[in-house]
């Protein structure tokens, strides 16, 4: 699955830390494609067991962290866990089948 990350239109370059929970019932390879995300900013990708994140060439991967995590099975529990762990959830998306996911990051 390719994860496309771009800032919202009102933000020229996104310069804030990000945390993603990438959960799947089956192990996946998450291919990351980014545009206009500042280098050197901490970005964390928690993936379900057996999954990996592949970064594009460049220095984005130098400030990104990937960690496998055993997530709660139900989406409601996953959302509650994320809110407790991080204090807020700005976006939650559930897809049954997808090859590409487009996410706009920003305020």
């Amino acid at each position: 699955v390719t994860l496309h990350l771009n800032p919202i239109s009102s933000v020229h370059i996104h310069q804030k830390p990000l945390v993603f929970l990438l959960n799947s019932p089956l192990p996946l390879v998450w291919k990351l494609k980014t545009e206009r995300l500042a280098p050197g900013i901490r970005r964390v990708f928690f993936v379900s067991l057996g999954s990996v994140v592949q970064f594009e060439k460049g220095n984005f991967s130098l400030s990104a962290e990937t960690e496998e995590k055993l997530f709660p099975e139900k989406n409601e529990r996953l959302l509650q866990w994320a809110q407790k762990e991080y204090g807020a959830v700005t976006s939650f998306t559930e897809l049954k089948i997808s090859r590409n996911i487009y996410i706009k990051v920003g305020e």
Side-chain angles (χ1 to χ4, degrees):
V1 175
T2 303
L3 183 61
H4 302 264
L5 302 178
N6 302 304
I8 58 175
S9 59
S10 62
V11 174
H12 182 65
I13 302 284
H14 189 270
Q15 301 186 36
K16 293 186 178 182
L18 296 168
V19 175
F20 289 91
L21 308 178
L22 304 174
N23 190 24
S24 172
L26 299 173
L28 286 179
V29 174
W30 296 90
K31 296 179 183 178
L32 199 62
K33 297 208 179 248
T34 64
E35 289 182 31
R36 301 182 298 135
L37 299 186
I41 306 294
R42 184 172 185 245
R43 295 176 180 102
V44 182
F45 297 87
F46 290 108
V47 296
S48 47
L49 299 179
S51 293
V52 296
V53 178
Q54 290 181 347
F55 299 98
E56 292 179 291
K57 291 182 180 179
N59 61 3
F60 182 85
S61 62
L62 296 177
S63 59
E65 303 168 33
T66 302
E67 183 180 326
E68 285 186 59
K69 200 88 161 163
L70 180 60
F71 292 119
E73 287 187 34
K74 303 272 186 205
N75 284 335
E76 296 81 17
R77 292 195 181 186
L78 177 60
L79 185 57
Q80 290 170 353
W81 175 84
Q83 288 172 326
K84 181 180 175 188
E85 194 75 17
Y86 296 100
V89 173
T90 56
S91 178
F92 185 92
T93 304
E94 177 186 10
L95 302 167
K96 297 292 183 192
I97 297 174
S98 183
R99 291 188 185 270
N100 291 283
I101 300 171
Y102 296 86
I103 297 179
K104 297 281 188 184
V105 296
E107 300 300 322

